[in-house]
Amino acid sequence: MNDKDEGFITLEYKIKKPKLIITLIANSVLLLAFINMWRLRIAPPLDYIYLILSIVALFMIIVTIARFAAKPYDLRLHPGKIYVKNREVDSTKIRAVLIRGYFNPMIGIQLANRRMVPVGLYFRFIGREREDHAIRDLKQWAKEHDVPVVHRYFWTWF
């Protein structure tokens, strides 16, 4: 969707948090393992640690499932700025735009002072037919603002 904003063209796309199926599966396996260790009392002095780790794994499962149900939000490309879910990021503060994967890629915006991509700055575009167009526009925006676009794996918080 395009609209005029003080003489500049603003590009807007619907985005959503990626479905992290591997994270969900891994945390489910960990939860089952910790509960089983706690239930079988394999190492009684470590019972409380297994219980705490089980609670952490359950929390991560709940957060991952909540992301599946989250409503889509907007990515807006403005001259000199990018807005992700109403979070404004100045182009001078972006180290790189990272793309992970080819089919249904995950996009991450890495900030200049961070090694990992912050929680609110990774997403995927909604709709296969608009995805290629959106990525092309994002790459063009990055090129105009001297932000490198890199195709590689990147780390995020769960």
Side-chain angles (χ1 to χ4, degrees), residues 4-46:
K4 294 283 184 183
D5 184 46
E6 298 176 12
F8 298 108
I9 293 178
T10 300
L11 300 172
E12 187 173 320
Y13 295 98
K14 290 289 183 189
I15 57 175
K16 194 170 186 175
K17 290 279 184 206
K19 292 182 180 178
L20 302 173
I21 302 296
I22 294 172
T23 303
L24 183 64
I25 293 170
N27 283 317
S28 298
V29 169
L30 285 173
L31 177 63
L32 292 174
F34 292 142
I35 288 174
N36 200 30
M37 286 181 202
W38 181 65
R39 189 178 60 85
L40 296 176
R41 303 186 61 87
I42 292 174
L46 301 177

Side-chain angles (χ1 to χ4, degrees), residues 78-144:
H78 287 265
K81 296 178 185 142
I82 189 168
Y83 291 89
V84 179
K85 194 178 180 180
N86 297 325
R87 179 178 178 181
E88 179 183 318
V89 181
D90 191 43
S91 64
T92 59
K93 295 181 181 177
I94 298 174
R95 178 186 293 175
V97 173
L98 306 173
I99 301 175
R100 181 167 91 183
Y102 183 75
F103 298 106
N104 200 13
M106 185 184 340
I107 312 295
I109 299 173
Q110 185 179 27
L111 300 178
N113 57 350
R114 305 284 173 131
R115 297 184 101 189
M116 294 176 66
V117 174
V119 172
L121 296 179
Y122 67 92
F123 53 88
R124 65 179 173 84
F125 291 105
I126 296 176
R128 293 266 187 214
E129 62 281 349
R130 304 250 316 142
E131 183 179 282
D132 292 335
H133 185 62
I135 290 175
R136 186 174 54 241
D137 287 344
L138 181 61
K139 286 180 179 180
Q140 181 63 34
W141 179 90
K143 182 179 177 184
E144 291 171 3

Side-chain angles (χ1 to χ4, degrees), residues 24-85:
L24 183 64
I25 293 170
N27 283 317
S28 298
V29 169
L30 285 173
L31 177 63
L32 292 174
F34 292 142
I35 288 174
N36 200 30
M37 286 181 202
W38 181 65
R39 189 178 60 85
L40 296 176
R41 303 186 61 87
I42 292 174
L46 301 177
D47 282 349
Y48 293 112
I49 292 175
Y50 293 141
L51 182 62
I52 290 168
L53 291 174
S54 298
I55 292 169
V56 170
L58 181 63
F59 173 75
M60 291 176 68
I61 289 170
I62 291 169
V63 169
T64 304
I65 291 172
R67 286 190 182 152
F68 289 171
K71 292 182 179 181
Y73 47 94
D74 294 327
L75 168 77
R76 294 189 317 270
L77 303 174
H78 287 265
K81 296 178 185 142
I82 189 168
Y83 291 89
V84 179
K85 194 178 180 180

